[in-house]
């Protein structure tokens, strides 16, 4: 008997077995259960029976903004300034060195200042309070700041007179061994101020 015929006879006699599946498909399917908890409800604070109703309860409360940089309290004036300030006030002809945008100017009352720039945001007739000064003096007395004098000691005001413009300047720019020339035009404008008020306060006004 040939081998092929013997193999066919054995297959007919063998009982049919259940089909084999991969181990992953043969496992039973289990449903995942989620743990559910009841929501937590916080109790509301009920007003007391004896309390009167608040008439502004339904109104929107304004936001309170915290001031990060509060203004520092004024520093006390030194004893040397208190002793010599009356002598400085008594003498006439005061002068002052004011600082405007970092530039110092030694002026008296009635002098004009030509700033080396055009001050933004001012119009002719505006009065400016100059509160930065490094030197205040008279004929015999001089007060110096470190670096500036306390603005409570003096009052210096300047009036804006207007704006002046310089003549047109034309500068010819040229590179070496090139025929091309370029003209650079410039016409700057300057603000003019007049010192309208210069007062040195008394010791009673400062304190």
């Amino acid at each position: 008997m040939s081998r092929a015929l013997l193999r066919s006879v054995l297959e007919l006699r063998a009982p049919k077995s259940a089909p084999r599946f991969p181990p992953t498909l043969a496992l039973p399917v289990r449903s995942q259960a989620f743990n559910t908890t009841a929501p937590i409800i916080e109790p509301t604070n009920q007003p007391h029976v004896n309390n009167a109703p608040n008439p502004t309860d339904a109104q929107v409360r304004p936001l309170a903004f915290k001031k990060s940089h509060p203004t520092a309290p004024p520093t006390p004036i030194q004893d040397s300034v208190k002793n010599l300030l009356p002598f400085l006030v008594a003498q006439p002809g005061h002068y002052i060195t004011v600082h405007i945008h970092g530039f110092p100017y030694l002026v008296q009352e009635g002098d004009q200042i030509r700033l080396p720039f055009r001050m933004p945001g001012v119009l002719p007739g505006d009065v400016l309070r100059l509160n930065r000064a490094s030197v205040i003096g008279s004929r015999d007395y001089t007060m110096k700041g470190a670096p500036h004098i306390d603005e409570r000691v003096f009052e210096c005001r300047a009036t804006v007179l207007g704006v002046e413009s310089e003549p047109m300047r034309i500068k010819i720019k040229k590179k070496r061994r090139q025929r091309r020339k370029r003209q650079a035009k410039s016409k700057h404008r300057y603000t003019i101020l007049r010192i309208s008020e210069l007062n040195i306060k008394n010791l009673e006004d400062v304190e």
Side-chain angles (χ1 to χ4, degrees), residues 109-192:
E109 185 176 353
D111 293 349
Q112 289 189 8
I113 303 175
R114 181 183 180 184
L115 302 180
F117 55 89
R118 182 179 180 181
M119 183 178 292
V122 296
L123 297 174
D126 293 349
V127 179
L128 308 178
R129 167 76 187 278
L130 307 179
N131 58 352
R132 291 293 180 89
S134 58
V135 177
I136 297 177
S138 62
R139 181 176 180 179
D140 298 330
Y141 298 96
T142 302
M143 180 187 299
K144 294 183 179 181
H148 300 102
I149 301 175
D150 192 350
E151 62 181 30
R152 297 175 294 174
V153 177
F154 67 96
E155 282 188 1
C156 183
R157 303 183 188 276
T159 305
V160 181
L161 299 182
V163 178
E164 289 185 357
S165 59
E166 65 175 5
M168 178 71 71
R169 293 186 296 177
I170 300 176
K171 184 177 181 180
I172 299 176
K173 293 188 176 182
K174 180 181 178 300
K175 294 184 179 180
R176 298 176 60 183
R177 295 184 295 274
Q178 291 186 6
R179 297 182 179 180
R180 182 182 176 183
K181 297 180 181 180
R182 185 168 61 90
Q183 293 183 355
K185 300 180 181 180
S186 63
K187 187 175 183 179
H188 299 283
R189 291 174 172 81
Y190 310 103
T191 302
I192 307 300

Side-chain angles (χ1 to χ4, degrees), residues 7-190:
R7 185 181 300 173
S8 60
V9 172
L10 293 176
E11 289 179 357
L12 293 175
R13 292 181 180 180
K16 295 183 179 181
S17 60
R20 296 182 180 180
F21 297 98
T24 56
L25 300 178
L27 295 176
V29 179
R30 297 180 181 179
S31 61
Q32 297 180 357
F34 295 94
N35 296 329
T36 58
T37 57
I40 300 174
I41 301 176
E42 297 182 357
T44 58
N45 297 328
Q46 298 293 336
H48 198 267
V49 180
N50 297 332
N51 293 343
N54 188 4
T56 61
D57 193 9
Q59 297 181 4
V60 180
R61 304 294 180 182
L63 298 177
F65 296 97
K66 184 178 179 181
K67 200 171 184 180
S68 58
H69 298 284
T71 56
T75 57
I77 299 177
Q78 300 179 2
D79 296 337
S80 59
V81 177
K82 293 181 180 180
N83 297 332
L84 299 178
L85 186 60
F87 299 98
L88 179 61
V89 175
Q91 285 191 344
H94 299 112
Y95 63 89
I96 185 173
T97 302
V98 294
H99 293 257
I100 304 175
H101 288 271
F103 295 94
Y105 300 93
L106 178 61
V107 294
Q108 287 184 326
E109 185 176 353
D111 293 349
Q112 289 189 8
I113 303 175
R114 181 183 180 184
L115 302 180
F117 55 89
R118 182 179 180 181
M119 183 178 292
V122 296
L123 297 174
D126 293 349
V127 179
L128 308 178
R129 167 76 187 278
L130 307 179
N131 58 352
R132 291 293 180 89
S134 58
V135 177
I136 297 177
S138 62
R139 181 176 180 179
D140 298 330
Y141 298 96
T142 302
M143 180 187 299
K144 294 183 179 181
H148 300 102
I149 301 175
D150 192 350
E151 62 181 30
R152 297 175 294 174
V153 177
F154 67 96
E155 282 188 1
C156 183
R157 303 183 188 276
T159 305
V160 181
L161 299 182
V163 178
E164 289 185 357
S165 59
E166 65 175 5
M168 178 71 71
R169 293 186 296 177
I170 300 176
K171 184 177 181 180
I172 299 176
K173 293 188 176 182
K174 180 181 178 300
K175 294 184 179 180
R176 298 176 60 183
R177 295 184 295 274
Q178 291 186 6
R179 297 182 179 180
R180 182 182 176 183
K181 297 180 181 180
R182 185 168 61 90
Q183 293 183 355
K185 300 180 181 180
S186 63
K187 187 175 183 179
H188 299 283
R189 291 174 172 81
Y190 310 103

